[in-house]
Amino acid sequence: MSAAAVAVGPAARAQGVTRQRVLGIVYLLLAAAIAVIFTNVPDGASSTFGLNLGPSPAVKLPDLILPSATTAWVLAAFCGFSGAVQLVRGFGIRWAVVLGLVALAFTFAFLTWATAGKSVSLVGILQTTVQRATPITFAALSGLLCERAGVVNIAIEGMLLAGAFTGAVVGSIATNPWLGVLGAALVGAALAWVLAVLAIRYYVDQIIAGTVINIFSLGITSFLSARVLQTNLELNNPPRLTPFAIPILSDIPIVGPILFNHNVFVYGMFLLVIAIQVALFRTRWGLRVRAVGEHPKAADTVGIDVLRIRYTNVVLAGVVAGIGGAYLTIGSTGSFDQNMSAGRGFIGLAAMIFGGWNPIGAFLASLIFGFADSLQARLSILAVPIPSEFLLMTPYIVTIIVVAGLVGRVRAPAADGKPYRKE
């Protein structure tokens, strides 16, 4: 064992103990917050959660009615117990699972407090969660395709925005939503090609190159939106791809409305997550991509074309981001608004990191951010005594907490962000 390894060992262990204690303290603070704030409800108040969606579901379930204060106390006890165990001995490799459960407990306690004496459709919130998570998932998969090949893609935000604008304009001109999606994918690929040339061929700092593309996309779409779309409304009225229920599956109680009553973008997202998962970890192409992202010189030595794989992955990532942008207009709002991506590209990068550069993990992490977005929208309708500005901040606060909590706990591909110079 080298001297460096001996020196690093105690430091790494000390750092791990510090993280363990910090997490334990956070869990205890969350337990205290639940006990002090979320149990403060009227005596005998109950929270009603609807388990049906629509006026006449195939199978009607009774509403879930919970005593608000008692539920909050139970969840506070769970968070407190988790914090005590975390402080004493930690949860080892299961720390991420426990973190997710504590976050879920705190969120449900908050929701129970917010709906005390009221009712809310739990299935409706979860269905909206999947919809709000869709563009974030596309962004996360775009970043994953790049970073698994060793290229950092900060430009996802710009690709989403350009894809949304192009999808709206092309779809409006052609009166065909599919041509709008195709246009968005091509624009995303074009911006990704610019990023690839700058980062791979000319060795421009990848963060700077991505930031330039983001600024360009924001500027050009804002300018054209103000000067062209606002005076030619017919260019900003694309036909939408509306939701359609999958027969039989959509009739399954709770799960059916949540997963099987969406538009083609959501179904395509599910398929894309599975396809990339299989391709990355079960095919020769995926093995080569991961080799390039971990050790490009070794990959080059065994005959893998490192630069070609990086170019290909970056352009594919642009296509995915462009389609994610098209969802914002053709699959959701039906028109383009300035800066309508609203940071979803950066949130997608956070989801990718939280998911450990794994497609399924990135999707599950995107659901967390989608839930935060869905929750703030629903709470504003319930007239919760929290300023609307704080509710709008919720998805971004969750992003900061997740990224800060994962520092030192996840490992990016070893060659991520490092240019490769072929000798």
Side-chain angles (χ1 to χ4, degrees):
M1 183 180 295
S2 64
V6 174
V8 171
R13 286 194 294 271
Q15 190 177 27
V17 171
T18 300
R19 292 196 196 100
Q20 173 183 320
R21 291 173 178 171
V22 169
L23 272 180
I25 293 172
V26 169
Y27 295 167
L28 292 177
L29 290 176
L30 292 179
I34 295 174
V36 173
I37 301 174
F38 299 155
T39 58
N40 186 21
V41 296
D43 292 338
S46 60
S47 302
T48 303
F49 299 98
L51 301 181
N52 304 290
L53 195 63
S56 55
V59 179
K60 188 174 179 60
L61 299 177
D63 292 339
L64 177 63
I65 303 176
L66 299 174
S68 303
T70 302
T71 302
W73 280 114
V74 170
L75 295 173
F78 170 76
C79 292
F81 175 76
S82 299
V85 174
Q86 181 71 35
L87 281 175
V88 173
R89 60 182 182 86
F91 288 97
I93 61 174
R94 296 184 297 276
W95 68 270
V97 175
V98 177
L99 174 62
L101 291 175
V102 170
L104 182 63
F106 180 82
T107 302
F108 194 74
F110 173 75
L111 192 58
T112 302
W113 168 77
T115 57
K118 306 173 186 177
S119 64
V120 66
S121 174
L122 184 60
V123 173
I125 292 177
L126 296 178
Q127 185 190 58
T128 307
T129 294
V130 175
Q131 296 168 352
R132 299 292 178 95
T134 297
I136 298 174
T137 302
F138 277 111
L141 294 176
S142 175
L144 187 146
L145 285 171
C146 284
E147 298 204 12
R148 277 292 183 175
V151 179
V152 174
N153 187 0
I154 296 295
I156 299 173
E157 180 75 8
M159 295 174 188
L160 286 177
L161 196 57
F165 178 86
T166 305
V169 173
V170 173
S172 299
I173 294 174
T175 64
N176 188 320
W178 295 106
L179 289 179
V181 175
L182 177 60
L186 292 177
V187 165
L191 290 177
W193 178 80
V194 173
L195 173 65
V197 171
L198 292 175
I200 299 172
R201 181 174 181 179
Y202 294 108
Y203 310 117
V204 176
D205 183 278
Q206 295 172 12
I207 304 297
I208 295 175
T211 302
V212 168
I213 292 174
N214 285 337
I215 295 173
F216 169 77
S217 295
L218 177 60
I220 193 67
T221 55
S222 298
F223 174 80
L224 292 176
S225 177
R227 294 299 182 90
V228 178
L229 298 188
Q230 290 185 10
T231 57
N232 300 274
L233 298 180
E234 68 277 6
L235 295 179
N236 195 17
N237 188 28
R240 293 177 57 216
L241 291 171
T242 56
F244 62 93
I246 297 179
I248 301 177
L249 294 179
S250 61
D251 294 332
I252 301 174
I254 301 178
V255 176
I258 295 173
L259 298 180
F260 304 112
N261 191 13
H262 298 282
N263 61 29
V264 70
F265 283 99
V266 180
Y267 299 136
M269 175 197 68
F270 292 148
L271 295 176
L272 191 61
V273 168
I274 297 172
I276 295 178
Q277 179 76 26
V278 173
L280 271 179
F281 299 103
R282 293 291 185 270
T283 68
R284 180 179 298 178
W285 172 82
L287 179 61
R288 292 180 175 181
V289 168
R290 289 182 286 125
V292 168
E294 291 292 341
H295 203 311
K297 187 173 182 180
D300 194 5
T301 302
V302 297
I304 298 174
D305 192 334
V306 173
L307 301 184
R308 180 179 179 181
I309 285 181
R310 287 190 169 182
Y311 270 108
T312 301
N313 272 50
V314 173
V315 173
L316 285 175
V319 171
V320 172
I323 295 174
Y327 169 80
L328 297 175
T329 49
I330 297 175
S332 181
T333 62
S335 63
F336 178 82
D337 292 321
Q338 294 185 28
N339 196 26
M340 70 183 307
S341 54
R344 289 182 177 87
F346 300 111
I347 296 176
L349 286 175
M352 174 197 69
I353 296 170
F354 191 29
W357 286 266
N358 180 286
I360 294 178
F363 167 65
L364 296 177
S366 297
L367 290 177
I368 296 175
F369 299 108
F371 179 77
D373 197 6
S374 173
L375 187 61
Q376 63 87 12
R378 192 57 61 101
L379 291 178
S380 62
I381 298 174
L382 291 173
V384 176
I386 299 176
S388 59
E389 292 80 5
F390 285 98
L391 293 178
L392 291 173
M393 290 165 54
T394 303
Y396 309 103
I397 293 174
V398 171
T399 302
I400 294 172
I401 293 173
V402 165
V403 174
L406 289 175
V407 172
R409 290 184 172 272
V410 294
R411 187 187 71 84
D416 195 16
K418 299 176 181 177
Y420 178 67
R421 292 175 171 84
K422 186 177 179 66
E423 297 178 356

